[in-house]
Amino acid sequence: MPDVDLLVTGGTVVSPSGRRPANVLVRDGRVVGVGPDRPSATEVVDASGLLVLPGAVDTHVHLMDPGAPDREDFPSGTAAAAASGVTTILEHTHGRPVRTPEDLRAKADYLRQRSFVDFGLAAHAWPGESSSVPELWEAGVAFFKVFTCTTHGVPGHDAHALRTHLRASAQVDAVSLLHCEDESLTEGAEALLRAEGRLDGGVLPEWRSLDAELVAVAVASLLVRRTGARATVAHVSNAESAGYLAAERARGARLAAEGCPQYFLLREEEVLDHGALRKFTPPARGRTDDDEAELWRLLRNGTLTHMSSDHAPSTLEQKADGDIWSVHFGLPGLDSTMAVLLDAAARGHLAYEDVVRVYCEAPAKTYGLWPRKGVLAPGADADLLLVDPRARRTLRNDDVLSKAGWTPFDGREVTGRVLRTYLRGSLVAADGRPVGERRGTFLPGAGAR
Ligand SMILES: [Zn+2]
């Protein structure tokens, strides 16, 4: 009988603190050793010349299943995740929000055998329903999604409702993901722009203005500190917002700051040419290479604490169905987020160690999944990636596995590729395609009893 089930030999194992040549030993779906040992194994995988990373943990994902499966579902969205190197997702769908423990149980049951990767499920906070925070947290939701503005059909929290939710969350140490845009500023701008009859893509940055983001970020981060709750500010679009978060963190706020590739790599002006294909909110605000360089700097130094895709796909047909006001917000991102992070490392914006920190370890820690997820160490789930850091390719709409069928990064040349993805010791994707059964399981949140 061999000593281990899987032995990955000859690779360079990357962690946030460094990289070293090491073998990875896997038994019963868990890592049992990382080092020079070379025991007998049922399967030996040669990783010579490759990087070995923990599977990525993408904590902001919308798969519309159930809800709007014509846009995405778990089989398609998690195929994209597995192929791109994401082995854990935290999911929530605005069209079918989880608001009760029964909603959570029904959704987790429905998703059995529908996921290629492990998944947690978030609840939506609802103004006036903060009394259900403890029971939802103890039922095992991953986090509470909170809107400060009414968006995607979900009602917004004003400062009072937000404070009430955060106080209830602090009581049980629940974590929230805060979408920060000020309701009165977005609503007021919308009324003016509509009165002018504006239908061009240029309405986006005026409607969803930097002022609206900054006001909401400032209020939310202050209330996070004052209530003592734990929270992440979602999709931080710019350096000034990140500065507010850093200031409140320095005063003691338990506040994470989420970046997404679209704010680094897409430019504000693209919405003029691409319209609905650049409709997401907050919108891209970068105007210059210096703006981009500043965001990479804030990610390297930890001001932006982690990355996610904010995967919110629509097909090209759905993005063409209506005017700039009525089409869905959102971009597909699960296919491309790891690719652009590996490419950022190849270009010198980040170290590979930073990629592991911001897309594996830090998100796992923020949502209570670490040290089971986000790390390659004895006891962790054997979620691991074999990465060729030198492989070059061009991102193409044709290669997208999400039902979206397109990517805003179509045509972008990237360096670095995930060749294989293992979930709990089993191969779940190879060469950009999912492999085998859908063996992803539900991960109860940190408050589960
Ligand atoms: Zn989102």
Side-chain angles (χ1 to χ4, degrees):
M1 180 109 167
D3 296 322
V4 297
D5 303 324
L6 174 66
L7 174 66
V8 179
T9 63
T12 298
V13 174
V14 185
S15 77
S17 58
R19 61 189 98 165
R20 60 182 172 128
N23 302 325
V24 180
L25 286 53
V26 177
R27 193 190 304 128
D28 297 330
R30 301 257 179 152
V31 176
V32 292
V34 181
D37 292 357
R38 210 180 179 299
S40 64
T42 308
E43 185 187 359
V44 178
V45 174
D46 180 5
S48 300
L50 303 179
L51 303 177
V52 183
L53 272 56
V57 178
D58 196 315
T59 56
H60 190 161
V61 170
H62 309 287
L63 297 186
M64 326 294 182
D65 186 15
D70 54 323
R71 292 176 65 185
E72 189 73 286
D73 62 22
F74 256 73
S76 57
T78 61
S84 74
V86 173
T87 51
T88 302
I89 58 167
L90 299 184
E91 197 275 345
H92 64 291
T93 291
H94 307 311
R96 190 73 77 86
V98 168
R99 292 169 65 181
T100 66
E102 183 45 43
D103 292 343
L104 178 70
R105 278 188 285 275
K107 185 167 178 176
D109 278 349
Y110 164 74
L111 291 173
R112 252 176 242 202
Q113 272 109 51
R114 286 182 73 71
S115 184
F116 283 102
V117 301
D118 285 349
F119 60 95
L121 300 171
H124 281 70
W126 225 258
E129 293 184 11
S130 66
S131 61
S132 56
V133 164
E135 63 188 27
L136 276 161
W137 184 242
E138 287 166 15
V141 300
F143 60 78
F144 290 87
K145 178 62 173 284
V146 184
F147 283 93
T148 60
C149 49
T150 296
T151 316
H152 318 298
V154 180
H157 290 64
D158 61 14
H160 171 74
L162 177 60
R163 188 178 64 171
T164 306
H165 168 79
L166 291 171
R167 280 179 172 167
S169 301
Q171 292 284 322
V172 290
D173 206 27
V175 62
S176 296
L177 178 65
L178 310 177
H179 178 123
C180 292
E181 294 179 287
D182 181 76
E183 175 94 336
S184 67
L185 288 170
T186 54
E187 211 177 53
E190 177 173 354
L192 290 172
L193 290 160
R194 281 185 185 271
E196 291 168 10
R198 291 274 301 275
L199 289 168
D200 58 294
V203 301
L204 243 297
E206 294 182 51
W207 174 22
R208 322 300 301 199
S209 66
L210 177 59
D211 286 343
E213 181 177 344
L214 289 171
V215 167
V217 162
V219 170
S221 56
L222 179 152
L223 291 175
V224 167
R225 168 172 58 83
R226 298 268 307 155
T227 58
R230 290 192 297 134
T232 299
V233 168
H235 37 54
V236 176
S237 77
N238 68 96
E240 194 171 349
S241 291
Y244 275 91
L245 302 178
E248 289 295 0
R249 205 182 291 135
R251 294 188 184 107
R254 302 162 78 201
L255 199 52
E258 175 190 87
C260 309
Q262 48 270 35
Y263 302 107
F264 292 66
L265 299 180
L266 304 181
R267 293 284 183 266
E268 183 182 62
E269 69 200 18
E270 290 178 40
V271 75
L272 299 176
D273 287 334
H274 295 273
L277 298 185
R278 296 294 181 274
K279 185 186 177 187
F280 51 96
T281 199
R285 305 203 196 274
R287 294 179 179 171
T288 65
D289 291 348
D290 285 350
D291 292 339
E292 179 187 338
E294 178 63 3
L295 288 180
W296 290 120
R297 191 183 72 80
L298 295 172
L299 187 61
R300 280 196 305 275
N301 75 14
T303 304
L304 294 172
T305 52
H306 63 277
M307 292 292 280
S308 76
S309 61
D310 192 10
H311 181 79
S314 299
T315 65
L316 291 172
E317 293 70 30
Q318 289 159 348
K319 279 287 196 182
D321 185 17
D323 64 25
I324 194 71
W325 296 102
S326 62
V327 295
H328 296 303
F329 283 107
L331 296 177
L334 270 174
D335 290 88
S336 53
T337 296
M338 180 57 100
V340 302
L341 289 174
L342 292 173
D343 183 58
R347 290 172 194 252
H349 297 306
L350 298 174
Y352 291 103
E353 288 83 348
D354 293 321
V355 175
V356 174
R357 176 173 54 82
V358 302
Y359 204 34
C360 308
E361 184 188 84
K365 283 185 169 173
T366 295
Y367 297 101
L369 298 162
W370 187 91
R372 179 173 170 192
K373 302 292 190 186
V375 60
L376 288 178
D381 281 358
D383 301 345
L384 56 97
L385 314 177
L386 304 189
V387 172
D388 180 348
R390 284 171 291 276
R392 302 195 61 151
R393 66 179 168 134
T394 303
L395 299 179
R396 292 280 179 218
N397 289 347
D398 287 347
D399 296 325
V400 169
L401 298 177
S402 161
K403 279 191 189 181
W406 65 282
T407 165
F409 305 115
D410 180 56
R412 186 177 177 87
E413 287 190 33
V414 295
T415 301
R417 173 160 214 176
V418 176
L419 303 181
R420 287 181 171 220
T421 304
Y422 290 85
L423 176 71
R424 288 179 272 107
S426 297
L427 188 68
V428 290
D431 302 321
R433 295 276 146 192
V435 170
E437 312 273 296
R438 293 191 294 257
R439 34 179 108 243
T441 59
F442 173 62
L443 301 168
R449 293 217 169 148

